[in-house]
Amino acid sequence: METSEDHHVGYSSPLDAYNHGRREKLAYVTCISAKWETTGKHDFIATIDLDPQSSTYSKIIHKLEVPNLGDELHHTGWNACSSCRDCTVRRSKLIVPAINSDRIYIVDVATNPRAPSIHKIVDTCDLHGKKAGAPHTVHCLPSGDVMISCLGNEKGEAKGTFILLEQGTFRVKGTWQSEANSIEYNYDYWYQPRHNVMVSTEWAAPNTFRKGFFIEDVQNGRYGHSINFWNWSEKKRIQRFDLGNEGLIPLEVRFHHCPDSDIGYVGCALSSTIFRFHKHETEWNAHLAARVPPKKVQNWALPEMPGLITDILISLNDKYLYISNWLHGDIRQYDISDSHNIRQVGQIFLGGSICKGETVIVTEDTELRDQPERPAVKGIPVRGGPQMLQLSLDGKRLYVTNSLFSAWDKQFYPENIEKGSMMLLIHVDTQHGGLTLDQNFLVDFGQEGNILAHEMRFPGGDCTSDIWE
């Protein structure tokens, strides 16, 4: 059973967490009710048992329903992480933004880790009063406050801001940046205090992405293609780096975990590319590091199908980078020990849109000789394509969910809507690279109805939450 010790702030360094971190035993997963308008089902946060010695291993052991309909719980984060190790805050609250309703749920995971409860609700009007909406990425700050990227204004229009929640009370203090320093598009962000920098990425206005994906919106400039660098102490943007057509829809962004490093990576969804960025004298540069070639296809929405890189993460020892190709259906593992020459060392297909014997026919493929088979776990075919990733502290276990966003799932993976999505486990060869599907781990959210699983968090911290000063 978890104790209060599981809610300490974190570890002294990324390598301390990598070498000495305790194995994850629980995961909190955001679960979206895809047909709430007809079923009346609420979104919920599922507690998943990750202890292989437990009788309830790989099962949902608790569901915390939120009281409102149509929220679309999406990304989550902690009220405290290793960046505020020296303050008095403890990792006791999970911060859960709702990207469609503009609410934020503050969830108490300390009182009973196996059965969390709602501590507070930051209501829609609180964000709209600051002209902010579509809250997304959550990070704690060294001060103990919480910062959340917002993708639009109160009307769903393009306006990127960062709101601050006050330590302890979780009151909306205002925006991190001044009104004059708001940006057009926003999405993910990561900060690196020792270099006095924050980097943020670009998706689209909420009014654009909430209706689904349409290529005309890209052609009309309604999606982002730049990464933004900010002066961390002055809270203002200092550089916008345009990635051009090679960097369309840059989503997830990560710095190296080592706080001394000025190197980071961003995954560009539509272009299916990975850019490496770094500081060069007084400016920041970005260069193409890897590419997932599109596949020529028949019986699909477009004549070419991109991989659609929708998530990336870096192991705590800064050795491996992982990406998910939501449409092609594969996860790729790159050795980034030499950041100037990253090498693919692992790949595994987990469903996707190009499986053999199904609707889509691949007519030209520069990588594969044949279309991959759709895998099954416990006799159940894997639905959808790999999307959200979360890695154990020791880098040996990679957890995967396969829903992106309900409006996009409806277009590209209607089986997720009808049958629910899944959570899977991949075992990682941390020495030489390599990925293997665990045949004994499966959380089938379809057993709960039309449920889409997305973000995953471990109570003891994880590879996408903690930042070190």
Side-chain angles (χ1 to χ4, degrees):
M1 171 178 270
E2 274 70 24
T3 68
S4 60
E5 293 181 356
D6 292 281
H7 306 286
H8 63 79
V9 170
Y11 298 89
S12 60
S13 69
L15 289 181
D16 179 33
Y18 179 80
N19 292 317
H20 304 296
R22 284 175 291 178
R23 178 172 177 143
E24 67 287 352
K25 293 185 178 180
L26 296 175
Y28 303 123
V29 182
T30 52
C31 296
I32 297 88
S33 177
K35 291 189 171 184
W36 62 271
E37 292 174 299
T38 56
T39 65
K41 283 183 174 289
H42 295 241
D43 294 355
F44 61 89
I45 298 163
T47 306
I48 310 297
D49 188 339
L50 302 183
D51 183 356
Q53 305 303 316
S54 171
S55 62
T56 54
Y57 177 58
S58 81
K59 296 185 183 300
I60 299 173
I61 59 174
H62 184 262
K63 294 188 297 181
L64 173 61
E65 286 194 352
V66 295
N68 301 287
L69 285 170
D71 279 317
E72 185 107 13
L73 306 181
H74 200 61
H75 280 213
T76 62
W78 294 107
N79 70 306
C81 74
S82 295
S83 70
C84 52
R85 185 174 178 82
D86 295 329
C87 67
T88 59
V89 185
R90 290 295 177 261
R91 197 196 313 264
S92 60
K93 304 294 190 299
L94 186 66
I95 314 300
V96 186
I99 198 170
N100 275 353
S101 68
D102 303 344
R103 292 187 184 91
I104 302 170
Y105 293 94
I106 313 299
V107 176
D108 176 5
V109 301
T111 303
N112 186 347
R114 298 175 70 86
S117 58
I118 293 177
H119 171 75
K120 179 179 180 177
I121 300 174
V122 179
D123 213 347
T124 305
C125 61
D126 296 319
L127 265 66
H128 287 188
K130 305 301 181 183
K131 298 182 179 179
H136 189 268
T137 297
V138 179
H139 283 300
C140 69
L141 302 186
S143 65
D145 288 345
V146 173
M147 189 162 91
I148 305 176
S149 63
C150 290
L151 280 52
N153 64 12
E154 74 279 13
K155 300 177 182 178
E157 299 164 337
K159 181 185 180 183
T161 59
F162 301 88
I163 63 163
L164 290 174
L165 302 184
E166 184 178 62
Q167 175 190 152
T169 68
F170 302 104
R171 174 184 64 87
V172 179
K173 295 174 64 173
T175 57
W176 173 76
Q177 85 302 322
S178 67
E179 180 71 18
N181 279 289
S182 298
I183 54 178
E184 183 179 17
Y185 296 132
N186 202 12
Y187 185 70
D188 195 22
Y189 78 96
W190 196 278
Y191 63 91
Q192 200 76 320
R194 293 187 188 178
H195 293 278
N196 192 35
V197 70
M198 181 180 83
V199 59
S200 64
T201 59
E202 302 181 339
W203 192 9
N207 290 340
T208 298
F209 67 74
R210 282 172 178 164
K211 67 183 180 181
F213 177 76
F214 299 95
I215 195 64
E216 294 82 6
D217 287 329
V218 178
Q219 295 167 343
N220 291 327
R222 298 193 183 105
Y223 279 90
H225 46 78
S226 300
I227 50 177
N228 300 286
F229 295 94
W230 301 73
N231 182 300
W232 181 238
S233 60
E234 296 182 6
K235 305 175 183 179
K236 65 179 182 181
R237 184 170 65 176
I238 55 175
Q239 187 178 346
R240 183 184 185 191
F241 195 102
D242 190 344
L243 302 174
N245 290 332
E246 294 276 23
L248 294 174
I249 315 185
L251 295 181
E252 304 296 330
V253 64
R254 307 283 182 262
F255 267 108
H256 275 163
H257 293 285
C258 174
D260 290 325
S261 175
D262 65 357
I263 295 171
Y265 298 87
V266 59
C268 303
L270 190 59
S271 298
S272 301
T273 51
I274 304 167
F275 276 80
R276 170 189 180 272
F277 56 85
H278 65 99
K279 191 174 184 179
H280 179 68
E281 296 180 351
T282 60
E283 292 194 336
W284 292 83
N285 289 339
H287 304 280
L288 184 65
R291 180 197 309 274
V292 177
K295 303 180 188 300
K296 292 187 177 180
V297 294
Q298 294 177 352
N299 305 327
W300 196 67
L302 299 169
E304 286 194 348
M305 181 189 293
L308 208 74
I309 299 173
T310 49
D311 199 14
I312 69 170
L313 63 75
I314 297 174
S315 60
L316 283 176
N317 62 351
D318 290 333
K319 181 177 181 180
Y320 293 120
L321 170 75
Y322 298 88
I323 71 167
S324 58
N325 287 306
W326 191 56
L327 291 178
H328 287 179
D330 63 313
I331 294 173
R332 301 188 185 204
Q333 178 191 26
Y334 295 88
D335 186 329
I336 58 172
S337 302
D338 177 1
S339 66
H340 293 282
N341 183 31
I342 74 174
R343 299 180 298 111
Q344 183 179 321
V345 293
Q347 182 180 29
I348 188 169
F349 277 86
L350 299 176
S353 298
I354 60 167
C355 292
K356 182 186 294 185
E358 299 181 1
T359 302
V360 174
I361 299 173
V362 178
T363 59
E364 186 176 323
D365 193 332
T366 60
E367 294 185 306
L368 303 177
R369 292 184 178 181
D370 200 1
Q371 294 179 231
E373 300 279 354
R374 181 173 296 278
V377 179
K378 297 184 177 182
I380 301 174
V382 174
R383 300 186 288 273
Q387 210 283 284
M388 290 304 295
L389 306 174
Q390 193 52 269
L391 188 65
S392 61
L393 295 179
D394 61 9
K396 295 180 179 179
R397 294 166 301 282
L398 182 67
Y399 296 87
V400 185
T401 56
N402 50 18
S403 169
L404 173 60
F405 180 67
S406 61
W408 292 38
D409 280 52
K410 289 175 184 178
Q411 289 179 275
F412 298 106
Y413 290 118
E415 63 270 28
N416 276 356
I417 303 295
E418 297 304 321
K419 299 181 179 180
S421 68
M422 296 175 162
M423 180 177 173
L424 306 167
L425 173 58
I426 307 298
H427 292 284
V428 178
D429 182 339
T430 58
Q431 296 298 314
H432 308 291
L435 306 171
T436 306
L437 179 61
D438 188 319
Q439 288 292 327
N440 295 312
F441 184 98
L442 172 68
V443 185
D444 186 352
F445 292 92
Q447 295 180 0
E448 305 297 326
N450 313 101
I451 300 300
L452 305 174
H454 194 66
E455 178 74 285
M456 298 162 280
R457 292 289 179 204
F458 307 143
D462 48 64
C463 288
T464 59
S465 63
D466 283 29
I467 293 174
W468 279 265
E469 277 206 287

